[in-house]
């Protein structure tokens, strides 16, 4: 029954959701200048708890990071959007991945499976710019909570015991918009093809049909503090699932 409903909704949703995000605006939208000025807004959309990411601008990338994180450049969002507060769980997906448990993140999915699940519920995968903005905010914090690594705020190499934790297990690690586990727990697929900066959604990197490696974000094993930073980029064949790559979805305002 679940598969039948999934197929029906997917057929209807894919046509509406496989669109390229709008080009970046040429003028800066109005927005706060500090992460802490933002009022966290949470609502349930189609049964999923989501947080509002406001319109605004931030500096994408890192001058101190790897070459693929440069040049640092401004990215603006003219409209707010809704982002899943948590990574998609086994229970929400409807089946378990390699780590059993209803509240554990659903991993080991191809990029296409993650994309289609978001489309089925009327959403899409976040672009890597949206993901980084939700993680770092208008101030461009290194981590979702600030610029200093604090072990108690994330599930990562030093404390993960070689497996993910239930989603939202580190509430002190919430980002400026209230999203959990944007640092650590598992990596997360984004919609974006892996291409050089500056980020430009109109250059083909957000094509749902184009072939090439897709970006995943968030960090997990063997990267200690660097891998869970909000600006670090990873890439993978979209047909190659991984035990430690999950996802979350975006719904446009």
């Amino acid at each position: 029954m679940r598969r039948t409903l999934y197929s029906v909704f997917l057929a209807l949703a894919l046509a509406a959701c496989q669109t390229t995000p709008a080009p970046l605006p040429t003028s800066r939208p109005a927005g706060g200048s500090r992460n802490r000025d933002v009022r966290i807004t949470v609502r349930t959309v189609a049964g999923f708890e989501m947080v509002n990411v406001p319109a605004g601008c931030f500096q994408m990338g890192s001058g101190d990071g790897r070459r693929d994180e440069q040049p640092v450049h401004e990215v603006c969002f003219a409209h707010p959007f809704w982002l899943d507060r948590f990574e998609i769980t086994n229970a929400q997906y409807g089946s378990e991945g390699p780590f059993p448990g209803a509240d554990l993140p659903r991993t080991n999915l191809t990029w296409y499976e993650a994309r289609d699940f978001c489309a089925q519920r009327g959403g899409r995968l976040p672009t890597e710019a949206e993901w980084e903005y939700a993680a770092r905010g208008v101030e461009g914090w290194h981590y979702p909570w600030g610029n200093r690594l604090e072990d108690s705020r994330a599930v990562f190499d030093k404390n993960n015991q070689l497996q993910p934790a239930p989603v939202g297990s580190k509430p002190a690690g919430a980002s400026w918009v209230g999203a959990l586990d944007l640092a650590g727990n598992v990596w997360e697929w984004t919609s974006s093809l892996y291409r050089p900066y500056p980020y430009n959604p109109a250059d083909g990197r957000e094509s749902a049909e184009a072939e090439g490696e897709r970006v995943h974000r968030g960090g997990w094993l063997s990267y200690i503090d660097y891998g869970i930073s909000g600006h670090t980029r990873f890439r993978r064949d979209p047909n190659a699932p991984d035990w430690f790559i999950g996802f979350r979805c975006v719904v446009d305002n």
Side-chain angles (χ1 to χ4, degrees):
M1 184 63 176
R2 183 184 299 278
R3 284 294 178 187
T4 301
L5 290 174
Y6 174 85
S7 299
V8 172
F9 282 117
L10 178 59
L12 294 172
L14 277 175
C17 297
Q18 299 308 310
T19 57
T20 301
L24 301 179
T26 55
S27 60
R28 295 168 60 92
S33 59
R34 299 192 311 169
N35 289 351
R36 293 181 179 87
D37 291 337
V38 173
R39 181 178 180 180
I40 293 175
T41 303
V42 182
R43 76 173 187 182
T44 299
V45 181
F48 294 83
E49 196 168 324
M50 308 191 82
V51 294
N52 185 257
V53 184
C57 299
F58 83 114
Q59 296 295 314
M60 186 172 184
S62 172
D64 298 323
R66 299 185 299 198
R67 284 180 294 178
D68 67 351
E69 298 167 34
Q70 302 173 29
V72 176
H73 55 288
E74 184 176 73
V75 174
C76 291
F77 299 92
H79 304 287
F81 57 91
W82 293 91
L83 176 74
D84 283 340
R85 189 178 183 191
F86 308 105
E87 295 154 337
I88 296 299
T89 66
N90 290 324
Q92 290 171 330
Y93 192 79
S95 65
E96 290 188 335
F99 302 103
D103 295 332
L104 267 70
R106 181 56 163 96
T107 63
N108 208 38
L109 297 166
T110 68
W111 178 85
Y112 298 100
E113 290 172 313
R115 178 202 65 180
D116 291 352
F117 180 87
C118 291
Q120 174 263 327
R121 48 177 278 209
R124 57 181 175 80
L125 288 171
T127 69
E128 69 165 322
E130 289 171 334
W131 193 100
E132 185 170 330
Y133 179 55
R136 302 181 67 195
V138 293
E139 293 182 66
W141 285 344
H142 196 59
Y143 305 105
W145 54 84
N147 290 316
R148 183 168 63 90
L149 176 64
E150 298 178 46
D151 296 3
S152 63
R153 294 180 183 264
V155 179
F156 69 124
D157 282 22
K158 291 184 179 180
N159 58 23
N160 61 21
Q161 300 179 352
L162 300 181
Q163 70 171 33
V167 300
S169 65
K170 299 288 185 179
S175 77
W176 65 298
V177 293
L180 278 297
D181 298 317
L182 287 173
N185 213 22
V186 295
W187 285 296
E188 301 174 16
W189 286 117
T190 73
S191 63
S192 307
L193 287 165
Y194 179 78
R195 290 191 175 175
Y197 282 174
Y199 175 84
N200 180 1
D203 66 4
R205 72 181 67 205
E206 295 302 339
S207 169
E209 293 77 29
E211 296 183 357
E213 294 176 310
R214 298 282 172 168
V215 175
H216 56 96
R217 296 291 200 107
W220 200 73
L221 279 173
S222 304
Y223 292 93
I224 311 298
D225 60 330
Y226 181 74
I228 65 171
S229 63
H231 51 76
T232 307
R233 308 173 74 200
F234 302 92
R235 55 181 173 167
R236 190 169 181 84
D237 182 337
N239 290 294
D242 188 278
W243 278 29
F244 301 105
I245 300 179
F247 71 105
R248 70 181 77 209
C249 305
V250 159
V251 171
D252 293 307
N253 229 31

